[in-house]
Amino acid sequence: EEGAPGRRGERERSEEGPAERGPGAAFHMFVLMEDLLDKLKLLSYEEEALRRHNMRPLSRHYFALPTNPGEQFFMFCTLAAWLISKAGHPFEQPQECDDPNAVISNVLSELRSF
């Protein structure tokens, strides 16, 4: 199998890290975050989700850089709950003191029910 043409190259490519995929791969997460922010803005997340919870708008790289994991997790949960509710499924807004595993379990359970 080792001498089979194409086999070794395919395996090596699939095991490549971000640095081996090209010069722009390290910035892919920033592009994804900017796309996410654009989509949230189209859904009026600032007016509907953030003002209700007295939260600041996201920066264009908010989830791309790990700055304050607790705050970022709560923001993610707040946005997830808002998006689930916006999709027509009633979903209780998580609180900062809630167990993170329980919150994620509830979000995933609700998404599976879609």
Side-chain angles (χ1 to χ4, degrees):
E1 297 278 303
E2 198 172 272
R7 288 276 195 192
R8 187 168 181 230
E10 289 173 16
R11 186 181 61 215
E12 286 175 359
R13 263 183 262 126
S14 67
E15 295 172 359
E16 291 175 350
E20 290 84 21
R21 285 185 266 159
F27 300 101
H28 183 66
M29 187 57 61
F30 295 97
V31 172
L32 289 175
M33 181 60 210
E34 288 181 16
D35 289 345
L36 171 67
L37 192 57
D38 288 342
K39 291 173 184 176
L40 288 171
K41 285 180 179 181
L42 288 172
L43 293 171
S44 304
Y45 90 105
E46 291 170 327
E47 293 81 23
E48 294 183 24
L50 298 184
R51 286 198 182 136
R52 181 178 301 144
H53 302 290
N54 199 25
M55 300 173 107
R56 295 185 332 256
L58 300 177
S59 70
R60 61 189 186 128
H61 299 135
Y62 186 78
F63 290 117
L65 299 170
T67 54
N68 183 342
E71 177 186 302
Q72 288 172 311
F73 179 75
F74 183 66
M75 178 64 81
F76 168 78
C77 294
T78 299
L79 291 174
W82 172 71
L83 287 168
I84 290 168
S85 296
K86 192 153 180 79
H89 292 243
F91 192 82
E92 188 175 323
Q93 172 64 39
Q95 302 301 311
E96 281 188 89
C97 60
D98 290 348
D99 175 36
N101 292 320
V103 172
I104 291 299
S105 178
N106 291 341
V107 168
L108 291 174
S109 175
E110 192 63 38
L111 292 176
R112 284 185 194 109
S113 75
F114 274 58

